[in-house]
Amino acid sequence: MKTEKDKALEIAQLMEEGKGLDVTVLDVSQLNSWTDYFVIVTVTSSVHWKGLYKIVKDYVKENDMEIHVANRKIPDGDDWNLIDIGTVVVHLMTQEARDFYNLEKLWCNGTVLK
């Protein structure tokens, strides 16, 4: 049976296969109560993030997981799209957004797994 860590690493591998750039997996389980892993991926365009989103969506379906959709009035932009799978949160970010928000630095007490 796959652990949540295994799932996060598998999603990261799929993101790399989908040409996601600079894929990073952070274990943040000791730092908060709402998720265990971040998968952070740089995307190059809206078409690219939509393609990667579909890959994640297919993975979620195949592994009996669920994407938690936030009720928001403002739609996601092209610079940062978040996929909340509960124990794994996937961040699809442009290079500009990734440089600006610098999640790896913000969550520097997390453990880098990839």
Side-chain angles (χ1 to χ4, degrees):
M1 187 158 150
K2 294 179 190 175
T3 66
E4 299 308 311
K5 178 180 177 181
D6 294 336
K7 292 175 186 177
L9 291 170
E10 285 180 354
I11 291 169
Q13 180 64 39
L14 291 171
M15 296 296 92
E16 287 180 337
E17 291 170 9
K19 306 296 184 210
L21 305 173
D22 195 20
V23 178
T24 301
V25 179
L26 290 178
D27 179 341
V28 294
S29 60
Q30 302 301 311
L31 306 176
N32 69 78
S33 61
W34 47 271
T35 194
D36 294 331
Y37 300 96
F38 284 168
V39 178
I40 307 168
V41 185
T42 301
V43 298
T44 56
S45 67
S46 61
V47 172
H48 190 204
W49 79 253
K50 289 175 185 175
L52 293 178
Y53 178 86
K54 183 180 180 335
I55 291 170
V56 173
K57 187 175 173 183
D58 291 345
Y59 179 86
V60 164
K61 185 176 181 181
E62 292 167 6
N63 287 276
D64 198 31
M65 299 168 78
E66 180 181 345
I67 294 176
H68 304 280
V69 180
N71 295 325
R72 354 163 102 176
K73 294 180 181 178
I74 302 171
D76 287 336
D78 288 341
D79 59 339
W80 186 0
N81 287 274
L82 185 135
I83 308 169
D84 181 356
I85 313 168
T87 56
V88 179
V89 175
V90 181
H91 300 268
L92 302 175
M93 308 174 82
T94 63
Q95 187 63 58
E96 294 79 18
R98 192 155 178 185
D99 291 343
F100 181 79
Y101 293 104
N102 201 352
L103 295 179
E104 291 93 331
K105 183 177 180 184
L106 184 64
W107 293 89
C108 66
N109 290 331
T111 303
V112 177
L113 302 177
K114 176 171 181 29

PDB file of all heavy atoms in Angstrom, residues 69-81:
ATOM      1  N   VAL A  69     -11.837  21.306  -3.802  1.00  0.00           N
ATOM      2  CA  VAL A  69     -12.010  22.547  -4.546  1.00  0.00           C
ATOM      3  C   VAL A  69     -12.447  23.639  -3.582  1.00  0.00           C
ATOM      4  O   VAL A  69     -13.431  23.488  -2.853  1.00  0.00           O
ATOM      5  CB  VAL A  69     -13.051  22.376  -5.669  1.00  0.00           C
ATOM      6  CG1 VAL A  69     -13.228  23.669  -6.446  1.00  0.00           C
ATOM      7  CG2 VAL A  69     -12.649  21.241  -6.600  1.00  0.00           C
ATOM      8  N   ALA A  70     -11.710  24.745  -3.600  1.00  0.00           N
ATOM      9  CA  ALA A  70     -12.043  25.884  -2.739  1.00  0.00           C
ATOM     10  C   ALA A  70     -13.167  26.681  -3.385  1.00  0.00           C
ATOM     11  O   ALA A  70     -13.200  26.850  -4.606  1.00  0.00           O
ATOM     12  CB  ALA A  70     -10.819  26.768  -2.544  1.00  0.00           C
ATOM     13  N   ASN A  71     -14.073  27.154  -2.583  1.00  0.00           N
ATOM     14  CA  ASN A  71     -15.113  28.047  -3.072  1.00  0.00           C
ATOM     15  C   ASN A  71     -14.553  29.456  -3.056  1.00  0.00           C
ATOM     16  O   ASN A  71     -14.419  30.062  -2.017  1.00  0.00           O
ATOM     17  CB  ASN A  71     -16.360  27.962  -2.185  1.00  0.00           C
ATOM     18  CG  ASN A  71     -17.007  26.608  -2.256  1.00  0.00           C
ATOM     19  OD1 ASN A  71     -17.009  25.980  -3.309  1.00  0.00           O
ATOM     20  ND2 ASN A  71     -17.550  26.135  -1.153  1.00  0.00           N
ATOM     21  N   ARG A  72     -14.218  29.979  -4.230  1.00  0.00           N
ATOM     22  CA  ARG A  72     -13.641  31.305  -4.316  1.00  0.00           C
ATOM     23  C   ARG A  72     -14.379  32.129  -5.353  1.00  0.00           C
ATOM     24  O   ARG A  72     -14.873  31.607  -6.333  1.00  0.00           O
ATOM     25  CB  ARG A  72     -12.171  31.312  -4.701  1.00  0.00           C
ATOM     26  CG  ARG A  72     -11.485  30.020  -4.794  1.00  0.00           C
ATOM     27  CD  ARG A  72     -10.220  30.165  -5.555  1.00  0.00           C
ATOM     28  NE  ARG A  72      -9.092  30.208  -4.680  1.00  0.00           N
ATOM     29  CZ  ARG A  72      -7.875  30.257  -5.115  1.00  0.00           C
ATOM     30  NH1 ARG A  72      -7.615  30.313  -6.373  1.00  0.00           N
ATOM     31  NH2 ARG A  72      -6.881  30.279  -4.282  1.00  0.00           N
ATOM     32  N   LYS A  73     -14.368  33.397  -5.122  1.00  0.00           N
ATOM     33  CA  LYS A  73     -14.984  34.321  -6.064  1.00  0.00           C
ATOM     34  C   LYS A  73     -14.015  34.706  -7.170  1.00  0.00           C
ATOM     35  O   LYS A  73     -14.421  35.051  -8.262  1.00  0.00           O
ATOM     36  CB  LYS A  73     -15.469  35.576  -5.334  1.00  0.00           C
ATOM     37  CG  LYS A  73     -16.583  35.288  -4.368  1.00  0.00           C
ATOM     38  CD  LYS A  73     -17.042  36.530  -3.665  1.00  0.00           C
ATOM     39  CE  LYS A  73     -18.152  36.164  -2.684  1.00  0.00           C
ATOM     40  NZ  LYS A  73     -18.623  37.302  -1.927  1.00  0.00           N
ATOM     41  N   ILE A  74     -12.728  34.648  -6.870  1.00  0.00           N
ATOM     42  CA  ILE A  74     -11.718  35.022  -7.843  1.00  0.00           C
ATOM     43  C   ILE A  74     -11.108  33.743  -8.422  1.00  0.00           C
ATOM     44  O   ILE A  74     -10.593  32.913  -7.670  1.00  0.00           O
ATOM     45  CB  ILE A  74     -10.608  35.876  -7.200  1.00  0.00           C
ATOM     46  CG1 ILE A  74     -11.210  37.138  -6.582  1.00  0.00           C
ATOM     47  CG2 ILE A  74      -9.522  36.219  -8.204  1.00  0.00           C
ATOM     48  CD1 ILE A  74     -10.241  37.930  -5.744  1.00  0.00           C
ATOM     49  N   PRO A  75     -11.164  33.542  -9.740  1.00  0.00           N
ATOM     50  CA  PRO A  75     -10.581  32.338 -10.323  1.00  0.00           C
ATOM     51  C   PRO A  75      -9.062  32.349 -10.223  1.00  0.00           C
ATOM     52  O   PRO A  75      -8.443  33.406 -10.088  1.00  0.00           O
ATOM     53  CB  PRO A  75     -11.030  32.390 -11.791  1.00  0.00           C
ATOM     54  CG  PRO A  75     -11.267  33.839 -12.057  1.00  0.00           C
ATOM     55  CD  PRO A  75     -11.719  34.443 -10.741  1.00  0.00           C
ATOM     56  N   ASP A  76      -8.476  31.144 -10.274  1.00  0.00           N
ATOM     57  CA  ASP A  76      -7.022  31.044 -10.301  1.00  0.00           C
ATOM     58  C   ASP A  76      -6.496  31.781 -11.517  1.00  0.00           C
ATOM     59  O   ASP A  76      -7.124  31.821 -12.563  1.00  0.00           O
ATOM     60  CB  ASP A  76      -6.584  29.577 -10.399  1.00  0.00           C
ATOM     61  CG  ASP A  76      -6.795  28.813  -9.103  1.00  0.00           C
ATOM     62  OD1 ASP A  76      -6.842  29.456  -8.042  1.00  0.00           O
ATOM     63  OD2 ASP A  76      -6.910  27.581  -9.160  1.00  0.00           O
ATOM     64  N   GLY A  77      -5.322  32.363 -11.376  1.00  0.00           N
ATOM     65  CA  GLY A  77      -4.679  33.020 -12.498  1.00  0.00           C
ATOM     66  C   GLY A  77      -3.747  32.041 -13.186  1.00  0.00           C
ATOM     67  O   GLY A  77      -3.705  30.862 -12.858  1.00  0.00           O
ATOM     68  N   ASP A  78      -2.990  32.568 -14.126  1.00  0.00           N
ATOM     69  CA  ASP A  78      -2.044  31.711 -14.825  1.00  0.00           C
ATOM     70  C   ASP A  78      -0.713  31.607 -14.103  1.00  0.00           C
ATOM     71  O   ASP A  78       0.105  30.779 -14.436  1.00  0.00           O
ATOM     72  CB  ASP A  78      -1.804  32.243 -16.237  1.00  0.00           C
ATOM     73  CG  ASP A  78      -2.990  32.016 -17.147  1.00  0.00           C
ATOM     74  OD1 ASP A  78      -3.844  31.164 -16.829  1.00  0.00           O
ATOM     75  OD2 ASP A  78      -3.065  32.695 -18.184  1.00  0.00           O
ATOM     76  N   ASP A  79      -0.498  32.455 -13.084  1.00  0.00           N
ATOM     77  CA  ASP A  79       0.811  32.478 -12.440  1.00  0.00           C
ATOM     78  C   ASP A  79       0.961  31.473 -11.304  1.00  0.00           C
ATOM     79  O   ASP A  79       2.055  31.023 -11.025  1.00  0.00           O
ATOM     80  CB  ASP A  79       1.158  33.882 -11.966  1.00  0.00           C
ATOM     81  CG  ASP A  79       0.159  34.444 -10.971  1.00  0.00           C
ATOM     82  OD1 ASP A  79      -0.988  33.957 -10.940  1.00  0.00           O
ATOM     83  OD2 ASP A  79       0.522  35.382 -10.241  1.00  0.00           O
ATOM     84  N   TRP A  80      -0.127  31.103 -10.633  1.00  0.00           N
ATOM     85  CA  TRP A  80      -0.040  30.153  -9.515  1.00  0.00           C
ATOM     86  C   TRP A  80      -1.362  29.422  -9.397  1.00  0.00           C
ATOM     87  O   TRP A  80      -2.395  30.024  -9.149  1.00  0.00           O
ATOM     88  CB  TRP A  80       0.272  30.886  -8.225  1.00  0.00           C
ATOM     89  CG  TRP A  80       0.520  30.033  -7.015  1.00  0.00           C
ATOM     90  CD1 TRP A  80       0.504  28.664  -6.915  1.00  0.00           C
ATOM     91  CD2 TRP A  80       0.836  30.499  -5.709  1.00  0.00           C
ATOM     92  NE1 TRP A  80       0.792  28.265  -5.648  1.00  0.00           N
ATOM     93  CE2 TRP A  80       1.007  29.380  -4.881  1.00  0.00           C
ATOM     94  CE3 TRP A  80       0.991  31.764  -5.155  1.00  0.00           C
ATOM     95  CZ2 TRP A  80       1.320  29.489  -3.524  1.00  0.00           C
ATOM     96  CZ3 TRP A  80       1.314  31.858  -3.814  1.00  0.00           C
ATOM     97  CH2 TRP A  80       1.474  30.735  -3.010  1.00  0.00           C
ATOM     98  N   ASN A  81      -1.322  28.127  -9.582  1.00  0.00           N
ATOM     99  CA  ASN A  81      -2.503  27.294  -9.436  1.00  0.00           C
ATOM    100  C   ASN A  81      -2.203  26.209  -8.430  1.00  0.00           C
ATOM    101  O   ASN A  81      -1.173  25.547  -8.493  1.00  0.00           O
ATOM    102  CB  ASN A  81      -2.909  26.698 -10.785  1.00  0.00           C
ATOM    103  CG  ASN A  81      -3.511  27.746 -11.674  1.00  0.00           C
ATOM    104  OD1 ASN A  81      -4.697  28.002 -11.597  1.00  0.00           O
ATOM    105  ND2 ASN A  81      -2.690  28.401 -12.475  1.00  0.00           N
TER     106      ASN A  81
END
